[in-house]
Amino acid sequence: MTSSNESAAGIAHVYRGTFVHATYHTAVEILEDRLLGVDTEGKVCHRRKFSIHFNFVVIVVCSEFFMPGMVDTHIHASQYSYAGTALDLPLLQWLNMYTFPVEACYKDLEFARNVYTHVVKRTLRNGTTTACYFATIHTDASLLLGQIANDFGQRALVGKVCMDTNNFIPHYKETPEESEGETKRFIGELLKKKYPLVRPVVTPRFAPSCSAALLGHLGEIAQNNDLHIQSHISETKEEVKLVKELFPDYDSYTDVYHRHNLLTDKTVMAHGCHLTDGELKLFRETGASIAHCPNSNISLCSGMLDVRRVLNHKVKLGLGTDVAGGYSPSMLDAVRRTMDTSKALTIQDTQYNTLTFEEVFRLATLGGSQGGRLVWKGGGGGGEVEGLLSPSLNQYINDQIHDDL
Ligand code: GUN
Ligand code: FE
């Protein structure tokens, strides 16, 4: 735990009980019989071991514990409507057959409002206090997602999806000019709303959906406005091969993003199952991070990310659900699936250094907030015990964690 303000001024709630959290030094730290004060802005402002007098309610939680909110570093809010279905095709065919036709429906704002409300409520109930969302190409529906996340008290990075290439469903794409213009409008409008919990994130869908010109525009927008960036990378071997064909003059898939200024310390790239050592080195050098989405990787038969190798390269890594490539919106599922993949790698190689449960807990909380610097000053989010301090804390405690609907 970090600094503690011993003054009771501004404290709105005090919680007493066992606190379980992750730090950079200790994967899981258990603090028994502690007090934790939360100020009126939802930030931890007081921590003590011994009981002292406060004039307000102390919540005692016996046989239960407090933990930081979890950070979903990669989730498609727009795909929540079909989560748990349509997992019988590999990635590129799955996008064409199921994903693009559904995402095209978000032109309809009422459709968008319904699904986005459900996904925000569901992920909050499951303990996700910060989410890195992909919306769709539709600016107004993407703005609505930002409003809904803010209203329900979830910290969110929201991305209006950019794509100017789509041969299969030609009506679900933009021209490069539209994509650039609408991205600027999205960022401007979202920042104007001054939602304390929500930020825009520049979101090229992935290299196969974007021309080099569009990638260049998006890199420039992110750089000029110091914004987060999210996309997909090296999820399947077929995709890597396609990128080689589409971008023959680049050293690697990672190089495509790097040369368009899309690899920064505020970048979160999903998957990375098939990255080479050289590409991981580039991630390390630029500070870009990886969202590991094990449910999706197995469900779409994409590959198995060797998390240990990524960590050995000192590349930042968090966990993601990748709904609806992943069938569960729960970060607890992402924890379990991360363990499963690590154990599957151990079955293949008995010398493999299997991840421990404690390490995976850290990835789901602190790892997610570190990757892409997803957590900023103010309420909400994961990370060290500060992550608890979200406006959704009460909701989190009262509802417990519902892993299923
Ligand atoms: N690559 C490009 N778009 C997508 C998507 O929507 N889901 C997944 N899993 N991978 C992608
Ligand atoms: Fe994804």
Side-chain angles (χ1 to χ4, degrees), residues 37-96:
V38 179
D39 71 15
T40 47
E41 291 180 355
K43 232 181 138 26
V44 166
C45 57
H46 178 91
R47 286 184 291 265
R48 278 182 83 109
K49 178 142 178 36
F50 303 107
S51 188
I52 56 168
H53 176 72
F54 283 107
N55 289 327
F56 26 80
V57 182
V58 174
I59 298 176
V60 181
V61 181
C62 299
S63 73
E64 292 179 336
F65 60 88
F66 297 92
M67 61 172 273
M70 288 178 284
V71 181
D72 189 339
T73 60
H74 184 80
I75 173 167
H76 297 260
S78 50
Q79 296 172 16
Y80 181 63
S81 63
Y82 65 98
T85 67
L87 293 170
D88 57 338
L89 291 174
L91 174 68
L92 300 178
Q93 293 75 6
W94 173 85
L95 286 171
N96 291 334

Side-chain angles (χ1 to χ4, degrees), residues 180-380:
E180 182 188 1
E182 285 299 291
T183 296
K184 286 182 175 162
R185 181 166 84 84
F186 172 71
I187 294 162
E189 292 281 316
L190 196 63
L191 293 177
K192 229 191 292 168
K193 306 270 188 201
K194 297 200 187 320
Y195 297 137
L197 296 175
V198 177
R199 292 209 176 155
V201 45
V202 173
T203 306
R205 175 167 219 120
F206 69 157
S209 295
C210 300
S211 63
L214 177 57
L215 292 174
H217 293 317
L218 297 177
E220 208 174 292
I221 292 172
Q223 200 168 41
N224 291 343
N225 298 281
D226 189 25
L227 292 176
H228 287 85
I229 296 160
Q230 62 179 353
S231 191
H232 299 85
I233 195 165
S234 292
E235 183 173 354
T236 74
K237 287 185 176 164
E238 192 187 6
E239 172 203 1
V240 175
K241 187 164 164 275
L242 178 61
V243 170
K244 262 202 188 96
E245 287 163 18
L246 294 171
F247 296 88
D249 299 331
Y250 294 79
D251 292 343
S252 65
Y253 198 158
T254 304
D255 190 42
V256 174
Y257 291 130
H258 184 48
R259 279 170 51 190
H260 292 104
N261 298 315
L262 290 163
L263 268 201
T264 75
D265 66 350
K266 291 173 90 172
T267 297
V268 182
M269 286 285 167
H271 308 295
C273 301
H274 306 285
L275 292 171
T276 63
D277 284 339
E279 289 179 285
L280 285 171
K281 189 162 172 273
L282 206 44
F283 268 76
R284 168 80 199 280
E285 284 165 5
T286 54
S289 59
I290 290 178
H292 174 43
C293 307
N295 188 320
S296 168
N297 292 340
I298 298 296
S299 294
L300 296 178
C301 298
S302 302
M304 291 194 288
L305 178 67
D306 182 343
V307 171
R308 181 66 70 200
R309 176 168 159 258
V310 174
L311 296 179
N312 286 344
H313 273 274
K314 301 209 177 329
V315 171
K316 292 177 290 183
L317 183 140
L319 305 186
T321 59
D322 194 25
V323 164
Y327 57 76
S328 170
S330 164
M331 282 298 293
L332 290 182
D333 172 84
V335 168
R336 293 185 201 111
R337 301 282 88 86
T338 299
M339 290 302 301
D340 287 352
T341 294
S342 191
K343 287 179 179 175
L345 292 169
T346 310
I347 292 168
Q348 291 178 343
D349 170 10
T350 53
Q351 300 303 307
Y352 186 73
N353 186 5
T354 322
L355 295 171
T356 64
F357 173 75
E358 287 82 359
E359 284 178 296
V360 179
F361 172 84
R362 175 160 60 188
L363 294 176
T365 53
L366 186 60
S369 65
Q370 179 197 23
R373 291 163 43 198
L374 297 189
V375 173
W376 54 89
K377 198 165 171 287

